[in-house]
Amino acid sequence: MVKLLVGHKGSGKTKQMIDIANQSVENSRGSIIFINKDQRLMYDLKYRIRVICMEDFEHVTNSDEYIGFLYGIISSDHDIETIFVDSILKHADFKMSDLPEFIDRLKDISKNYGMDFVVSVSAEKEEMVGVNFEGCEILN
């Protein structure tokens, strides 16, 4: 399942995502991955959560490469339960127009590999034109 945290900058999405990640690792039997733009949240997350900083992967520059990057993470760990992606519009030159296809691809990956995605987007639901919310859960 793809779960979305939506709202404008400063609405508390990252804090909520950190809380969800820290709670989920307590009951998890598999791996929890948290993808963030930089290192600043590393110490807010419990040590069992694998933190990936996109600054370390500067050559991931568009949504296709980002999906390939996710497949690489998945292929290296077959026990992933949840991948958290904080502020997707700040990663890899993402634009609002990339979201519909990106979220559809996440839904396919989720279905095929039996994992969840939690993605925060700095926009209101109404601004996410073209996104098919069927099969998604809005967390806030």
Side-chain angles (χ1 to χ4, degrees), residues 71-130:
Y71 275 120
I73 293 168
I74 293 164
S75 70
S76 70
D77 184 349
H78 297 284
D79 295 323
I80 296 174
E81 282 189 17
T82 307
I83 296 178
F84 291 84
V85 180
D86 187 35
S87 298
I88 188 61
L89 294 176
K90 292 182 181 177
H91 297 221
D93 296 329
F94 260 84
K95 297 181 244 25
M96 192 72 81
S97 60
D98 297 325
L99 280 179
E101 180 183 358
F102 180 73
I103 291 174
D104 285 343
R105 291 172 85 179
L106 290 184
K107 287 190 268 188
D108 289 341
I109 294 169
S110 174
K111 180 180 168 189
N112 293 336
Y113 294 94
M115 65 181 57
D116 290 333
F117 288 92
V118 179
V119 180
S120 70
V121 180
S122 292
E124 295 297 332
K125 184 178 176 182
E126 297 77 29
E127 295 175 89
M128 298 169 64
V129 177

Side-chain angles (χ1 to χ4, degrees), residues 15-68:
K15 171 78 170 103
Q16 186 177 358
M17 184 174 276
I18 290 169
D19 292 343
I20 294 168
N22 285 333
Q23 289 171 356
S24 68
V25 78
E26 294 302 318
N27 302 320
S28 174
R29 295 181 192 200
S31 302
I32 305 294
I33 311 293
F34 196 100
I35 302 173
N36 190 37
K37 181 176 170 47
D38 53 36
Q39 305 252 352
R40 71 182 170 86
L41 301 177
M42 187 173 290
Y43 300 107
D44 294 331
L45 294 160
K46 294 190 175 179
Y47 74 94
R48 289 180 37 215
I49 298 172
R50 180 176 170 203
V51 179
I52 297 173
C53 301
M54 290 308 295
E55 284 180 342
D56 298 336
F57 302 95
E58 61 201 38
H59 297 293
V60 178
T61 60
N62 60 48
S63 63
D64 286 335
E65 292 172 357
Y66 202 93
I67 291 292

